[in-house]
Amino acid sequence: MPTFAHFFETLLESYPVFFEGLWLTIRVTFVSVLIAVFIGLFFALFKISQSKILNWIANVYIAVIRGTPLIVQIFIFYFGLTEFNIPKFWAASIGLALHNGAYIAEIFRGSIQSIDKGQMEAGRSLGMSHTLAMRRIILPQAFRRALPPLGNQFIIGLKDSSLAAFIALPELFSVATTQGARTFDEMTYLLIVAVYYLVLVLIFTLLVNLLEKRLSASD
Amino acid sequence: MVEKAEMIRVEKLNKSFGDLHVLKDIDLEVNESDVVVLIGASGSGKSTLLRCMNFLEIKNSGNVIIEGETIDPQKNDLNKVRQRVGMVFQHFNLFPHKSVLENVIEAPLMVKKIKRSEAEKEGKELLAKVGLGDKANVYPNKLSGGQKQRVAIARALAMKPDIMLFDEPTSALDPELVGEVLSTMKELAKEGMTMVVVTHEMGFAREVGDWVVYMHDGKVVEKGHPSELFSEPKEQRTQDFLSSIL
């Protein structure tokens, strides 16, 4: 075990190399979760649609994604689909986006279905089409309700992005293993990277809480 | 007496939910400026009948004729039809993520696509009319039940409907808040609005109703002027119902 002094010293000294990895981790996470939110919204709407075909497509997507490991999905995009020559950043981002999309689809489906049926009826009774009422009345309320589980999913996505180290994307975790191997001081660097993830998650949790508070002003 | 235009006609209407036959061969007409009050026990089908009139429920057979036009839910654009038939719900169903004024102007803006300035002007007038001119920028969660229901009435009126349907508008209210909603409805009736009202407020039916329709077990048992129906009901079942509640 490293001494606390050694750990602290290394933490302070190593920040230039960690910050590069940190920036990459943040970019992969935001890009993949943003895409995942759109994927999730579409598949949630497929799932609650009247169309059996759309239901089926959504069910298959969710079953396949949830039933297979994320690392396999990322490897398929990077090592599997070699003919497409997908860059590491995008292989990781797309893999994470498709993965989180399946979970976010279920989050959105639940939150949409949790909105009182009277809301849709009120919209329809005013002459709104189903689509318009969905867009103007249901989805804004559903999104608000989805925020806590979405924040949770974002945190999972942030931590899962460490799997991109296995396709040699130089993100946070990859920096820690590289530095550890170089110095034979693995434990110190693993503890440092753990601190980075923990601080990121705490900051993000705080931001989600603030957002929730602002949005719930009308509840 | 001048012949009044026919606003709604329901012919041989049947509606089932699965095995449950809720409406059985209903015939009913509502003429211009009429206030028709539907009364009856819970489960008698009065709310379902009302909901068939703006196609929130789709009949199994029979006809629903709105202002002379037989509406076929497969062919007619129901969104257009519903613009002429406003509805007020038992649980208000205000949009909680929108302010009171935004609730009122949402459909005029998004459905009729009128200008925002015009919509806001009309919306504020309507809110003033229901006595809530000072609540325009408040969110629904800050309102009492009676205030919510008056906003819901203003919201329905903002589409300038020809007919207003009220589905137990005071049933979810604390007793002391019932009066303010009823008096708003009374005013609307006085202005000549055609209204179909499902309610348990017999005072309102007696005072404001032009016609009272008693429903039992999915059928119209008796229809009459309130003075006749309340004082000398022809049918035994109507007598039983009235004596049980009055």
Side-chain angles (χ1 to χ4, degrees), chain A residues 31-68:
Chain A
V31 167
S32 62
V33 173
L34 192 68
I35 300 172
V37 165
F38 282 100
I39 294 175
L41 182 58
F42 271 100
F43 280 100
L45 292 174
F46 280 15
K47 253 204 113 152
I48 58 173
S49 137
Q50 305 281 337
S51 155
K52 288 267 179 289
I53 298 168
L54 292 183
N55 296 161
W56 185 82
I57 291 173
N59 286 334
V60 168
Y61 166 71
I62 291 169
V64 168
I65 294 291
R66 286 209 297 201
T68 54

Side-chain angles (χ1 to χ4, degrees), chain B residues 58-78:
Chain B
I58 304 294
K59 60 176 177 142
N60 293 109
S61 67
N63 287 321
V64 180
I65 302 159
I66 305 290
E67 297 179 288
E69 186 186 358
T70 306
I71 306 297
D72 179 347
Q74 309 298 327
K75 294 200 183 101
N76 286 83
D77 182 356
L78 294 182

Side-chain angles (χ1 to χ4, degrees), chain B residues 197-230:
Chain B
V197 184
V198 171
T199 188
H200 298 290
E201 295 293 329
M202 294 304 145
F204 176 85
R206 199 191 288 266
E207 188 185 340
V208 185
D210 296 301
W211 297 94
V212 176
V213 176
Y214 171 64
M215 287 182 69
H216 179 78
D217 197 20
K219 291 192 195 114
V220 170
V221 175
E222 191 169 346
K223 175 182 175 180
H225 293 291
S227 52
E228 298 156 11
L229 191 130
F230 282 117

